C-alpha cells in the first residue's frame, strides 16, 4: 500500500492566511527549517494506479498539481483521473471543501458517515458533484468497508470508528446541547487495510482524547497518523490567538500528561506520525525545543509530499 | 489603483484536475510556452495597503501565498490581513468557494447581489464566515457602491450591472424555467473606480453576449477584463469534453462573428484583457494560431501574477 501525505496542516494550512504569530511569521518570511504545508489529506493506493483520497482539503487542486501520481494519465481518455474515491472523516471545511474542486462531471465514489453525508446534502453547493456521476455511500461504523468504484474493488478496506471529538464548528449553533451537539459519526478514525497484504494503518486527524477503547485498538499497530493540531492545550490562548483550548476544539495536545505522546508511550506503535498540525504549533520549526521533544519521544512530523510504503 | 490578477483561469483552473485534452496535457507535461494558472480572481487597492478581492476562488490560499501584498503585515496584530473586503460577481463555485478559506474569525466585508447572498445564506457551510466578524452587504445594481470596511471607505467604488449570463450550474435544477432560471443579479459585471483619481476599469469574468446596452457602456473605456472562457462556441463539443456550447454555459466565445473580439472591434477600448480562460482554450498556448489571432486583434491573455496600475 502506498500512502502520500498531500497535506499535513490543520484547517487554514501553514501558514494560515491571517496569522502573524511567531510560528506563522517564520513561514511567511521563509525562515530556514520551516516548510509551509497545505491542509490535511492523504492519498492511498493498493496498486499505485488507482487512488483513494482520505479527506478532500480546500488545497486539493494545488495538492493534485504537486503529486504526479494524481495527474490524468496521458494515455487515458479525454477526461480521466487516477482518483476513484474519497473517504471523509468529518464535515470540517478543511476536510470537505475540496470536494467542490472534484467536479466537471467526473465519476467518483464518496464515502462518509451518514452524519457527514447529511451535511453535504443540506448544502446545495455540493450538488456540483452530481448524482449522475458521484455516488455517495454511507460508511458502516465499526466494520470493514471495502472501498469500491463502479463495482470494482480498489483493494483497500476502511474500518471507521467513532473517536472522542466534536461536531464541525459551523454546525455547533444548529445542534447546540450537551457535548456541543456531537453525535455518533461526527468525527471518526479510520483503520485502513490493504486487502491483499493485510497491512494496515490508522488515520485519526481529529481526536479529543485517547480513551481506553482507543488505546486497546491502537496497541501494537505498525503505523498511526494522529491529530497533531496543538503542542499544548492552551497554546492558542497563550499566544493570544483565540480563547479556545484544544479540549474546547476537540483536539488533544501533543505534550503534557494528558497529551498524545504520553498516551502512546506504552502502546507499542511502531511508527507514529503527527498530522493535521495547526499554524500555531511550534512543532513546525525544525530544531525547536518542542520539535526535539517530539522526536525524542519517537514521533515524526508529517509534511506535504511525504510518502510511506506499507 | 493597483490591480493584481490572482487567477486567470475559469472554473477548475488550468489545467483542470481531470482534463487530458491537448491544451491541458501541454500544461501537465510542462510544455514550453504554457503556464498553469489558478481560478479567476482579482485583487485591487487604491492605496497599496488595503485590498479588495473581486471574487474568492477555490485557489485563494495558494493565491495569497503567491502575492506578498496579501500576506499579514509583520508589524501588525497577531491576526491581520490586508484583505478588507470581497466583492462577488456570481455564485459559481470558482468565485465563492474561496470564502471558506477566509475564516478564522477575521473581520471582512462581503458584497454581492441579493441573489448571490441568498445562495450563501442557504448553504450553512458558509457560516464559517460568522456574522460577528463578516458583514454581508447587498450590492445595489446600477449605482456606484462605495466599498468600505468597518465604516472606513477603501477608496474604491464598484458599480454592478446585470449582463447577459446564466445562473450557477448547481442551481439550475432548483430554478428551472425560461432562461435557465436566470434572474437579475445572477451574473453581474463591475465598473470599478478609484474615488480619488476617477480612473476606472470593467471586470466581466462571465458574459453571454455583448448586447447594445453593454456596447454603450464599455465604449471608450480604458481597461476591460473580459470573459475569455472559450475560443470558439463549440470548442468543448469538438474536443469531445462536453455536449455544451458556450452559449449554453452563458459564455460568449473569443472568436467568430458573434464573439468578443468582433464585438469589441469598434468600441475603442484602450486595453482589453481576456480572463476566466477555460482549460480547453488554445489561447493558453503561446505562439498557437489562436493566440496569434488574439494578439493581432489587440487583446491580451491574463496570467497569474500579472499587474496593472491605473
Amino acid at each position: 500500500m502506498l500512502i502520500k501525505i498531500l497535506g499535513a496542516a490543520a484547517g487554514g494550512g501553514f501558514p494560515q492566511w491571517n496569522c502573524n504569530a511567531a510560528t506563522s511569521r517564520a513561514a511567511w518570511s521563509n525562515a530556514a527549517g520551516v516548510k509551509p504545508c497545505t491542509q490535511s489529506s492523504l492519498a492511498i493506493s493498493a496498486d499505485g494506479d488507482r487512488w483513494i483520497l482520505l479527506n478532500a482539503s480546500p488545497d486539493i487542486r494545488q495538492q493534485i498539481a504537486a503529486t504526479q501520481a494524481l495527474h490524468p494519465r496521458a494515455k487515458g481518455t479525454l477526461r480521466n483521473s487516477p482518483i476513484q474515491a474519497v473517504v471523509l472523516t468529518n464535515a470540517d471545511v478543511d476536510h470537505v471543501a475540496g470536494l467542490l474542486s472534484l467536479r466537471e462531471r467526473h465519476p467518483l465514489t464518496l464515502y462518509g458517515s451518514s452524519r457527514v453525508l447529511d451535511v453535504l446534502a443540506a448544502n446545495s453547493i455540493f450538488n456540483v458533484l452530481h448524482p449522475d456521476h458521484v455516488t455517495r455511500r454511507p460508511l458502516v461504523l465499526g466494520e470493514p468497508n471495502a472501498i469500491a468504484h463502479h463495482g470494482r474493488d480498489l483493494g483497500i478496506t476502511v474500518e471507521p470508528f467513532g473517536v472522542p471529538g466534536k461536531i464541525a464548528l459551523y454546525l455547533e449553533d444548529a445542534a447546540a446541547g450537551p457535548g456541543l451537539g456531537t453525535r455518533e459519526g461526527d468525527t471518526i478514525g479510520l483503520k485502513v487495510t490493504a486487502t491483499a497484504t493485510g497491512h494496515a494503518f490508522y488515520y485519526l486527524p481529529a481526536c479529543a482524547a485517547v480513551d481506553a477503547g482507543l488505546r486497546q485498538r491502537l496497541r501494537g499497530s505498525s503505523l498511526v497518523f494522529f491529530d497533531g493540531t496543538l503542542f499544548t492545550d492552551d497554546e492558542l490562548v497563550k499566544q493570544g490567538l483565540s480563547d479556545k483550548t484544544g479540549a474546547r476544539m476537540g483536539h488533544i495536545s501533543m505534550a503534557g500528561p494528558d497529551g498524545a505522546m504520553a498516551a502512546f508511550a506504552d502502546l507499542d506503535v511502531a511508527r507514529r506520525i503527527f498530522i493535521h498540525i495547526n499554524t500555531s504549533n511550534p512543532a513546525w520549526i525544525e530544531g525547536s525545543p518542542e520539535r526535539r521533544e517530539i522526536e525524542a519521544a519517537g514521533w515524526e512530523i508529517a509534511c506535504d509530499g511525504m510518502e510511506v510504503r506499507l
Side-chain angles (χ1 to χ4, degrees), chain A:
Chain A
M1 179 160 45
L2 290 166
I3 306 163
K4 288 180 186 280
I5 288 85
L6 301 183
F14 174 60
Q16 216 171 65
W17 76 287
N18 66 347
C19 191
N20 191 36
T23 310
S24 301
R25 175 49 50 197
W28 290 117
S29 59
N30 299 311
V34 182
K35 191 183 163 202
C37 283
T38 61
Q39 291 164 86
S40 157
S41 175
L42 301 186
I44 56 173
S45 177
D47 58 12
D49 185 36
R50 298 170 302 162
W51 290 82
I52 300 163
L53 301 186
L54 305 185
N55 292 318
S57 100
D59 301 316
I60 195 166
R61 203 180 158 272
Q62 184 181 359
Q63 293 168 339
I64 290 173
T67 311
Q68 193 161 11
L70 302 182
H71 293 185
R73 300 287 178 250
K75 294 184 177 175
T77 55
L78 280 168
R79 284 197 188 277
N80 83 80
S81 167
I83 301 169
Q84 312 265 307
V86 181
V87 180
L88 303 171
T89 62
N90 63 22
D92 282 351
V93 166
D94 55 326
H95 285 159
V96 305
L99 295 174
L100 300 174
S101 295
L102 298 179
R103 56 197 198 280
E104 311 304 342
R105 312 191 323 154
H106 194 87
L108 272 179
T109 306
L110 176 59
Y111 293 84
S113 72
S114 299
R115 284 278 285 164
V116 169
L117 295 184
D118 286 350
V119 171
L120 301 184
N123 281 271
S124 71
I125 196 168
F126 288 102
N127 294 349
V128 292
L129 304 182
H130 197 278
D132 283 356
H133 307 291
V134 177
T135 307
R136 303 183 185 189
R137 292 198 184 284
L139 289 168
V140 183
L141 266 65
E143 292 182 15
N145 295 244
I147 303 302
H149 177 59
H150 276 198
R152 291 176 63 206
D153 191 289
L154 297 177
I156 282 173
T157 65
V158 303
E159 181 185 336
F161 50 92
V163 297
K166 198 185 70 57
I167 199 170
L169 185 64
Y170 65 95
L171 298 170
E172 279 186 8
D173 291 346
L180 301 168
T182 296
R183 281 188 275 164
E184 181 174 273
D186 278 333
T187 296
I188 56 178
L190 299 177
K191 180 181 184 182
V192 182
T193 307
T195 319
T197 61
H199 293 162
F201 72 93
Y202 287 89
Y203 175 53
L204 297 100
C207 182
V210 182
D211 60 15
L214 188 53
R215 289 175 58 85
Q216 189 176 357
R217 190 184 282 277
L218 299 181
R219 188 179 296 283
S221 55
S222 51
L223 172 63
V224 176
F225 291 97
F226 196 76
D227 182 343
T229 310
L230 301 174
F231 190 76
T232 48
D233 188 59
D234 60 356
E235 178 174 309
L236 293 175
V237 182
K238 277 211 172 151
Q239 293 187 22
L241 288 170
S242 168
D243 53 6
K244 286 186 180 173
T245 61
R248 170 64 182 83
M249 298 193 300
H251 293 292
I252 192 173
S253 58
M254 293 175 167
D258 300 321
M261 290 189 287
F264 275 72
D266 62 352
L267 289 188
D268 193 27
V269 175
R271 195 165 178 192
R272 287 150 281 168
I273 301 176
F274 279 124
I275 200 166
H276 194 274
I277 301 161
N278 195 54
T279 197
S280 59
N281 194 327
W284 283 121
I285 314 285
E286 274 179 33
S288 66
E290 295 84 357
R291 177 72 157 257
R292 288 203 301 268
E293 181 180 337
I294 290 161
E295 289 166 350
W299 283 76
E300 295 167 69
I301 295 291
C303 66
D304 291 12
M306 186 177 183
E307 294 186 12
V308 181
R309 195 177 286 263
L310 205 65

